[in-house]
Amino acid sequence: MPEWESSSTARVLAPARPRKLSKVPFVELADGRLQGVVSSGSDVGRVYVSSVAVGSYEFACSTNNNRPCGGARGSFCNHIGALVTEAAVQYGAERVARYLRVEVATEDVVSGESILQAMWRARPPQGDNSAAAVVFSQFLRHLAYLELAPTTTAVPEMQWFPPTRVVA
């Protein structure tokens, strides 16, 4: 058994490629969904909470205060497209496809666009926005870490992460 499998710490995977955070500031593969926060294209003060369920590709998109997305009426909106595209950049398209259980045609190069097309061919249902509050609160919690002053002491709620270097 490899050492990491018996350790009490989780491996942190580096992003597949660096990505810009202005359009999709938060994306994660968690809770049986690809989920995240996507900036509005028309209003700088508005964000959308979008998600796609594993396997069924049931999708949901709403503003952070639970107003439904006008573009997600029976089909993927632009926010879902941006979320899938940025997830492919963040985690690698193959990993996103594997997580969502998307079968991409063998002649297609696995990319955010090919994942979206494969999911759309399945005609997924539009789900409710019940996860929006949880996803948005996770995003806000991540933002809170940006407000912490730089320090070399341990942050109590992050103690489960392994040290990456010794501070002199």
Side-chain angles (χ1 to χ4, degrees), residues 18-39:
R19 65 183 190 88
K20 294 181 180 176
L21 300 175
S22 60
K23 183 65 179 162
V24 183
F26 180 68
V27 62
E28 66 179 353
L29 303 170
D31 303 326
R33 294 183 297 271
L34 165 61
Q35 56 193 15
V37 174
V38 181
S39 299

Side-chain angles (χ1 to χ4, degrees), residues 101-165:
R101 297 186 199 130
V102 175
E103 295 292 327
V104 178
T106 55
E107 65 273 0
D108 290 341
V109 174
V110 181
S111 66
E113 184 62 33
S114 66
I115 293 169
L116 275 169
Q117 289 174 359
M119 288 190 306
W120 178 239
R121 282 192 292 271
R123 299 288 183 220
Q126 185 168 354
D128 63 4
N129 296 322
S130 59
V134 173
V135 174
F136 194 68
S137 67
Q138 289 171 319
F139 169 61
L140 293 177
R141 188 177 54 226
H142 281 75
L143 284 180
Y145 291 119
L146 296 176
E147 295 175 356
L148 295 176
T151 182
T152 57
T153 60
V155 176
E157 62 267 18
M158 297 183 76
Q159 285 183 346
W160 63 85
F161 290 116
T164 56
R165 59 185 170 173

